[in-house]
Amino acid sequence: MSNSKIINTTLRDLDKSIPYMLAAEGGFQALGILGAPAMGKTMYFQTRFVEHIANHYGVQTDDVGVIVEKVGQAEDSAAVNGLTIPSKLADGTYATIKTKPSLLVRIEATGKQYGVVILDELAQAGTDVMGSVGDTLNRSEHKVGDWELPQGWVVVFTGNRVEDKAGSKRLPTHLITGRALLANLLPDLQGWVQWASDKVNPVIIGFVESGMPHSEFADSVPSFYGPYFTPRSAVAAGRHLDAFMASPEFDGETIPSHIQSLLAMNIGEDSATQIAVYIRTANEVPMGSEIIADPMNAMVPDNTGFQLLAANRAMNVVDSKTDADSAIMYITRLRPELQVSLGVKLIRRFAHKGWSTGSDVMNAFMVKYADFLPLASGDNQ
């Protein structure tokens, strides 16, 4: 950040410090993260940060409340802190008091003793809104308006940088100094890959790690108008790719133009095109016919995304129950997290073809994953 001495960090490094922030005497000091749009700032506070709170207090993550207060969209300070109204006191005199803020009402509605309040897009908020949250950021006050926040709840905030052209303003120095911690978030490819390993389509992860053109996340808003490749847009595109790859339409090799356009609506045309190329030219992936011919000796790629492609290539050439047995034998050699979803897809192909699933190989697979197959089937329908 130009003309700025805000500390630069990655989510991975910041994450290592959270336990000490929670354990500090006097309570958790409000933490703010600034960074380019769609880097996963809010998502981090909604997910991994909640795990830290749960660990600190010795509860389950379901016992931790999460309230996202979009202060960047607030009309004025009253929308955050409550309205100031005259009220008659017991002695007959009048005084102005603030009504209970909707934020506090939402916290109470969770019924949770512990939780996190995320003041989202604070850097985009109006000047009066920014100025009104000083006591909310100050742990020694720990209030919203005139009302105290529950002691088991902590406050964090997010925002874009001025140079991101997102309508952000510099947070006033007096609002931060001595009250809150503020960090500028740097891109962290390996940190995202580590986080995404069990949450995002493995082909998307493999593409990010491939070093191909347009596989790097943007670290600033591009000059053109339209979608582009970011950690958040990659997650969204991965969900669409999950749905397509679970369908009979996917042959393990080709991304049709309508799916490529769907991906492009999230990650931009350039990155979507390169993902299609990545899948088509995955030279570490055996052909479907090779797998069906020798399922126990056919190559199993190290890359999880390539394993997914290989299994789909095998299923695309299945034309008999014997072929299906070969496909399921190969699937059992893949990483456990892929086996159930791929098995469900193959079982559906059985049903579509009108085949019974009575082979010893298929029955053994279904017995092994009896508890998970109905759940996976429901997720992918």
Side-chain angles (χ1 to χ4, degrees), residues 23 52 66 102 107 138 161 174 188 210 220 223 243 261 318 322 324 337 342 377 381:
H52 281 299
V66 178
S102 63
I107 290 174
N138 190 343
R161 305 162 302 185
H174 73 274
D188 181 15
S210 70
S220 61
S223 58
S261 295
V318 167
T322 302
E337 61 267 28
L342 290 168
S377 180
Q381 285 178 346

Side-chain angles (χ1 to χ4, degrees), residues 16 19 28 55 85 171 205 207 240 267 270 330 341:
K16 297 173 184 176
F28 181 87
N55 290 336
I85 60 173
L171 296 169
I205 297 173
F207 173 68
H240 289 142
I267 61 177
D270 291 337
Y330 184 76
S341 60

Side-chain angles (χ1 to χ4, degrees), residues 317-330:
V317 298
V318 167
D319 199 36
S320 68
K321 291 176 64 175
T322 302
D323 289 348
D325 281 348
S326 294
I328 204 70
M329 289 168 66
Y330 184 76

Side-chain angles (χ1 to χ4, degrees), residues 236-250:
R239 294 187 183 121
H240 289 142
L241 197 57
D242 282 337
F244 169 67
M245 294 178 74
S247 75
E249 187 179 359
F250 183 53

Side-chain angles (χ1 to χ4, degrees), residues 162-175:
V162 174
E163 59 265 35
D164 291 322
K165 309 170 209 172
S168 299
K169 298 175 284 294
R170 287 197 177 197
L171 296 169
T173 301
H174 73 274
L175 186 67

Side-chain angles (χ1 to χ4, degrees), residues 50-211:
V50 169
E51 295 177 11
H52 281 299
I53 295 178
N55 290 336
H56 177 71
Y57 288 110
V59 298
Q60 301 298 312
T61 54
D62 288 345
D63 298 321
V64 179
V66 178
I67 298 292
V68 180
E69 182 77 356
K70 293 190 174 295
V71 291
Q73 301 174 17
E75 296 179 0
D76 52 35
S77 60
V80 179
N81 288 289
L83 290 168
T84 301
I85 60 173
S87 180
K88 189 174 183 178
L89 304 180
D91 62 1
T93 60
Y94 285 86
T96 56
I97 63 170
K98 279 189 169 62
T99 58
K100 180 181 285 190
S102 63
L103 172 58
L104 190 57
V105 173
R106 292 165 62 200
I107 290 174
E108 292 173 347
T110 68
K112 310 287 188 184
Q113 182 179 358
Y114 309 109
V116 54
V117 173
I118 305 171
L119 301 179
D120 206 29
E121 302 174 347
L122 180 59
Q124 286 96 306
T127 303
D128 62 328
V129 174
M130 279 190 193
S132 72
V133 298
D135 285 348
T136 308
L137 299 183
N138 190 343
R139 182 68 197 200
S140 63
E141 296 290 342
H142 205 53
K143 297 192 301 185
V144 54
D146 291 337
W147 300 72
E148 290 188 4
L149 291 167
Q151 288 302 306
W153 284 65
V154 302
V155 178
V156 298
F157 58 98
T158 68
N160 299 133
R161 305 162 302 185
V162 174
E163 59 265 35
D164 291 322
K165 309 170 209 172
S168 299
K169 298 175 284 294
R170 287 197 177 197
L171 296 169
T173 301
H174 73 274
L175 186 67
I176 303 301
T177 303
R179 287 191 173 106
L181 304 171
L182 186 61
N184 176 51
L185 192 61
L186 299 175
D188 181 15
L189 174 63
Q190 288 307 312
W192 183 86
V193 167
Q194 181 179 347
W195 169 84
S197 62
D198 60 350
K199 301 177 181 69
V200 181
N201 183 287
V203 171
I204 296 287
I205 297 173
F207 173 68
V208 169
E209 293 185 291
S210 70

